[in-house]
């Protein structure tokens, strides 16, 4: 009947519009990924950057997002906006990994070990399946129904550009821990920079 044909046309049209919007979003994300701005590195107190990023998420009522930072200041030489983007992506991923019906517990910990500053983001989410582990940092990896899967590819790109390192441990249906390592900026390095 004409009514059924109209309904079908509306449904198909709506689906096409949604797919076009999604493709447009993916194209835009890839474009942004390719044009990641050149870093404007500066001396950062990582404690402050981690704390301010945590503050964006900590007031959620559906989960507990805890932060532990040391009293002593930890200095790195990096682009502040890039570091915030790394942390934001990791915290968002942690939040999105929590299955429905489970109270989320996310812990963000900053510490230093030898010559590295390390940020650990731990969740009690669904974990990463064994078959996906080696694809996590690929540009098309996602465990979500929507999205482009560029988050962790961008994160790794930024961490690499800081001469850092990113890795994770995961247990399916128990949770995941991401570790981001940045080289420490030692105070004697600061002195050398000033002396020049």
């Amino acid at each position: 009947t004409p009514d059924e044909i109209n309904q079908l046309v509306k449904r198909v049209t709506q689906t096409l519009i949604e797919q076009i919007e999604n493709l447009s979003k993916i194209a835009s994300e890839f474009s942004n990924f390719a044009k990641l701005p050149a870093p404007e590195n500066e001396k950062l107190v990582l404690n402050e950057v981690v704390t301010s990023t945590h503050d964006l998420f900590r007031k959620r009522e559906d989960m507990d997002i805890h932060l532990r930072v040391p009293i002593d200041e930890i200095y790195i030489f990096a682009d502040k906006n890039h570091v915030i983007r790394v942390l934001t992506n990791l915290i968002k991923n942690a939040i999105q990994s929590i299955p429905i019906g489970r109270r989320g517990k996310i812990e963000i910990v900053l510490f230093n070990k030898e010559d590295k500053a390390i940020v650990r983001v731990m969740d009690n989410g669904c974990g990463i399946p064994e078959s996906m582990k080696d694809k996590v940092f690929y540009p098309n990896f996602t465990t979500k129904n929507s999205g482009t899967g560029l988050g962790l590819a961008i994160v790794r790109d930024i961490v690499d550009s800081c001469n850092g390192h990113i890795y994770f441990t995961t247990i399916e249906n128990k949770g995941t821990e991401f570790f981001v390592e940045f080289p420490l900026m030692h105070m004697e390095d600061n002195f050398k920079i000033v002396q020049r």
Side-chain angles (χ1 to χ4, degrees):
T1 68
D3 273 355
E4 286 172 335
I5 290 168
N6 280 339
Q7 287 300 317
L8 181 62
V9 168
K10 275 184 186 171
R11 274 206 310 276
V12 170
T13 304
Q14 185 59 36
T15 303
L16 282 170
I17 289 167
E18 285 170 7
Q19 291 301 322
I20 289 164
E21 283 175 356
N22 200 30
L23 286 168
S24 173
K25 184 180 169 193
I26 289 169
S28 171
E29 282 281 315
F30 268 100
S31 175
N32 290 338
F33 181 48
K35 291 188 295 200
L36 197 62
E40 294 180 15
N41 292 338
E42 58 182 317
K43 177 179 165 184
L44 298 178
V45 180
L46 193 52
N47 315 50
E48 293 171 2
V49 180
V50 173
T51 301
S52 63
T53 309
H54 165 256
D55 286 345
L56 299 172
F57 298 96
R58 69 185 171 87
K59 290 185 178 172
R60 292 181 68 107
E61 291 178 8
D62 57 334
M63 59 184 67
D64 306 311
I65 304 178
H66 295 298
L67 171 71
R68 282 194 288 141
V69 295
I71 294 167
D72 293 338
E73 293 181 334
I74 294 177
Y75 294 95
I76 64 168
F77 189 65
D79 182 305
K80 185 176 183 179
N81 290 328
H82 285 190
V83 174
I84 289 170
R85 189 163 182 182
V86 165
L87 299 174
T88 302
N89 264 299
L90 291 178
I91 297 166
K92 276 185 182 172
N93 279 6
I95 289 167
Q96 289 166 351
S97 77
I98 310 294
I100 293 166
R102 182 183 301 177
R103 181 159 186 89
K105 290 187 182 358
I106 294 167
E107 190 175 55
I108 304 153
V109 183
L110 170 65
F111 59 101
N112 62 307
K113 187 176 177 184
E114 295 163 356
D115 59 345
K116 298 180 187 79
I118 303 171
V119 182
R120 181 183 69 155
V121 179
M122 179 176 66
D123 65 61
N124 66 333
C126 53
I128 298 164
E130 190 67 38
S131 60
M132 300 278 204
K133 280 185 183 177
D134 60 346
K135 300 179 180 73
V136 164
F137 297 110
Y138 285 13
N140 59 352
F141 172 79
T142 182
T143 56
K144 300 186 284 287
N145 293 328
S146 62
T148 56
L150 282 173
L152 287 171
I154 290 170
V155 162
R156 187 179 65 174
D157 228 44
I158 292 171
V159 173
D160 284 351
S161 75
C162 298
N163 297 317
H165 184 48
I166 182 167
Y167 55 97
F168 65 92
T169 62
T170 187
I171 300 172
E172 219 169 328
N173 206 37
K174 291 276 188 190
T176 303
E177 287 179 288
F178 272 92
F179 297 84
V180 183
E181 296 180 351
F182 297 102
L184 276 179
M185 185 175 185
H186 296 288
M187 297 315 287
E188 58 268 25
D189 295 338
N190 301 345
F191 183 70
K192 284 175 196 162
I193 290 165
V194 171
Q195 287 299 93
R196 284 183 201 138

